[in-house]
Amino acid sequence: MSSSTGERATDSTEQATDSTEQATEQTSAAKDRSRRRAVRHAGPPVGETEAPKPVVLAKPVGAHAAPEAAKVASPEPPAPDAPKQGRPLKSLLAWGVTAVVVVALVVAAVVLLLDLRSARERDDRRQAFVDTARQTVLNLTTIHPATAKEDVDRIIAGASGQFLEEFQGREDPFVGVVQDANVTTEGQVVEAGVENGSETSISANVLVAARTMVSSKEQPEPSPRDFRMRVTVSDVDGKLTASKVEFVP
């Protein structure tokens, strides 16, 4: 019995010793962990130098720089910009052609209008010469005994130059002959046209074909007389007058 009790006491002592050692070890481990945490937060111990940082070697320059240099040295072809550069040139050419066409049309229109205006003025001027000659011939071929004085005055009002000189001073004898012979004439212009002259001329020769019906005391029945006259129409102080009248065979 005594030996068994001694063995149990020995075992109990050993177990207590083991527990004490384990507790000591755990306490030491806890202190070490606390010390490491404090070191990490407080930095390296005073007097100790910081461990050198690892050296990182630089990347080779030629490995990656070469492609970038190649990109800069050889630019990509400006495919999208090429049409944009061509279109402005075509647009400018189109605008230029359009402007030239518009200017040509305007010039042509102006020239045409000037030509039309000039032609109209020329025609109006020629017609004025013809109208003056026609009226002169009608005045000469239309005379009545009752209005002989007024008829002669009308002829003189449209006369100038040589034609006016032929009538001036002879009005009364002419009126007397017409009234004494009871001569009546009714004139009619058949055709008239400018023989020569232009729209810028101050005179023009007009040929007039006329017919007149003549009656008198000796020949009461009217009879036709056909004749042609060349009437020289002149512009005197802005007024067209007959400056010369002659019969044409």
Side-chain angles (χ1 to χ4, degrees), residues 105-140:
L105 290 176
V106 171
V107 172
V110 171
V111 172
L112 181 60
L113 288 175
L114 291 177
D115 288 342
L116 290 175
R117 181 177 180 180
S118 178
R120 185 166 56 251
E121 291 178 353
R122 180 178 63 250
D123 293 341
D124 292 345
R125 183 71 170 175
R126 290 172 68 89
Q127 189 61 42
F129 284 130
V130 173
D131 292 343
T132 302
R134 290 171 64 95
Q135 188 61 47
T136 299
V137 173
L138 281 175
N139 293 340
L140 282 172

Side-chain angles (χ1 to χ4, degrees), residues 18-100:
D18 292 336
S19 298
T20 302
E21 290 178 356
Q22 290 179 359
T24 303
E25 290 177 358
Q26 290 178 357
T27 303
S28 299
K31 289 181 178 180
D32 291 339
R33 285 196 297 271
S34 298
R35 189 181 295 112
R36 283 198 297 272
R37 290 194 189 99
V39 168
R40 281 199 300 270
H41 290 288
V46 179
E48 293 184 2
T49 58
E50 186 179 357
K53 295 181 180 180
V55 178
V56 179
L57 297 178
K59 294 182 180 180
V61 177
H64 296 285
E68 295 179 357
K71 291 181 181 179
V72 176
S74 58
E76 295 180 359
D81 296 336
K84 294 182 180 179
Q85 293 177 356
R87 278 196 295 268
L89 180 59
K90 292 181 180 179
S91 299
L92 289 176
L93 291 176
W95 277 108
V97 172
T98 303
V100 171

Side-chain angles (χ1 to χ4, degrees), residues 163-209:
F163 185 51
L164 179 61
E165 292 175 358
E166 291 176 356
F167 267 90
Q168 282 180 337
R170 301 176 184 176
E171 300 95 327
D172 293 340
F174 182 83
V175 171
V177 171
V178 169
Q179 291 176 344
D180 292 343
N182 197 24
V183 177
T184 301
T185 61
E186 290 288 345
Q188 177 186 2
V189 174
V190 178
E191 191 63 56
V194 176
E195 182 181 17
N196 55 51
S198 64
E199 68 278 6
T200 58
S201 299
I202 60 174
S203 65
N205 291 332
V206 182
L207 292 178
V208 181

